[in-house]
Amino acid sequence: MRRIIVQMSVSLDGYIEGPDGRLDWHLVDDELHYHFNRHLGAMSAFLNGRVMHELMAAYWPTADQDPNVPGPVAQFARIWREMPKFVYSRTLRNADWNTTVVREVVPEEVLRLKALPGGDMALGGADIAAAFQRHGLVDEYRIYVQPVVLGGGKPLFRQGTARTGLRLVESRTFGNGVQLLRYQVPE
């Protein structure tokens, strides 16, 4: 069965966005980007909320057309374009780039998707991750802790999130100071 993996970068104080939605504090060098490409390229689908999908769709479809982009950026542009994507949104009418729009998280439909053959699925976006968490549909968290304290913004886990015990299965420090903490949800 395919697993659903939340993969998010967070500040040391737990925010995925800084004040005013800023993301300029993310440290993604070639080493980290190649790591992302290796893991995300093995996925069978990207599951995103509307906001995350629109952020990705605004840049990645043509990112590799710029001859000055670094190698891992061009590589990810191809991964993103070719990967099947499911965007969960009540307002988005349609989406390009191999994307299916889904109106809401229906656990039975997600379980059918998980039962299909293929690689794991990457879940991105705090709001959609919270919906999947409420239904017990998340299997793993790959949290990339950025070496910065923001002091405010949008948290990865909202106040009131149900307590969930996790098992640490990997940790790694990258050369730029980003720390990967990989946790699995025990069955």
Side-chain angles (χ1 to χ4, degrees):
M1 181 174 281
R2 301 191 295 184
R3 298 174 307 144
I4 294 178
I5 299 171
V6 172
Q7 180 166 320
M8 299 288 287
S9 289
V10 300
S11 65
L12 184 60
D13 51 347
Y15 296 101
I16 61 163
E17 293 177 1
D20 301 321
R22 296 184 61 113
L23 301 173
D24 58 350
W25 48 274
H26 285 205
L27 297 176
V28 182
D29 59 8
D30 283 355
E31 176 193 20
L32 186 56
H33 214 301
Y34 277 123
H35 166 84
F36 289 155
N37 291 352
R38 187 171 55 257
H39 289 281
L40 293 172
M43 298 287 175
S44 63
F46 293 147
L47 311 173
N48 292 310
R50 181 192 53 80
V51 172
M52 175 70 81
H53 177 76
E54 288 177 343
L55 284 171
M56 300 295 280
Y59 179 72
W60 291 109
T62 59
D64 57 346
Q65 293 176 8
D66 178 352
N68 298 316
V69 299
V73 172
Q75 183 183 49
F76 185 74
R78 290 185 294 277
I79 292 168
W80 189 86
R81 271 195 313 269
E82 295 170 10
M83 185 71 62
K85 291 169 275 302
F86 295 86
V87 59
Y88 289 82
S89 172
R90 291 185 184 102
T91 59
L92 191 65
R93 293 292 163 229
N94 57 32
D96 294 325
W97 308 108
N98 200 15
T99 303
T100 301
V101 177
V102 181
R103 292 290 164 226
E104 61 185 86
V105 178
V106 177
E108 296 77 21
E109 290 176 10
V110 175
L111 291 172
R112 278 193 291 278
L113 191 60
K114 287 177 74 170
L116 294 173
D120 294 333
M121 296 175 286
L123 178 62
D127 294 335
I128 196 65
F132 274 65
Q133 289 163 344
R134 281 192 303 275
H135 294 294
L137 297 168
V138 174
D139 300 292
E140 184 175 307
Y141 295 89
R142 291 182 186 166
I143 307 301
Y144 294 85
V145 181
Q146 301 279 326
V148 62
V149 173
L150 296 177
K154 183 175 188 174
L156 173 57
F157 298 105
R158 297 180 193 169
Q159 189 170 1
T161 298
R163 180 178 173 164
T164 304
L166 303 170
R167 183 171 41 96
L168 181 67
V169 294
E170 180 185 2
S171 64
R172 174 180 174 184
T173 303
F174 293 89
N176 62 6
V178 171
Q179 176 76 44
L180 163 64
L181 299 174
R182 186 174 152 225
Y183 293 98
Q184 290 181 343
V185 177
E187 294 180 19

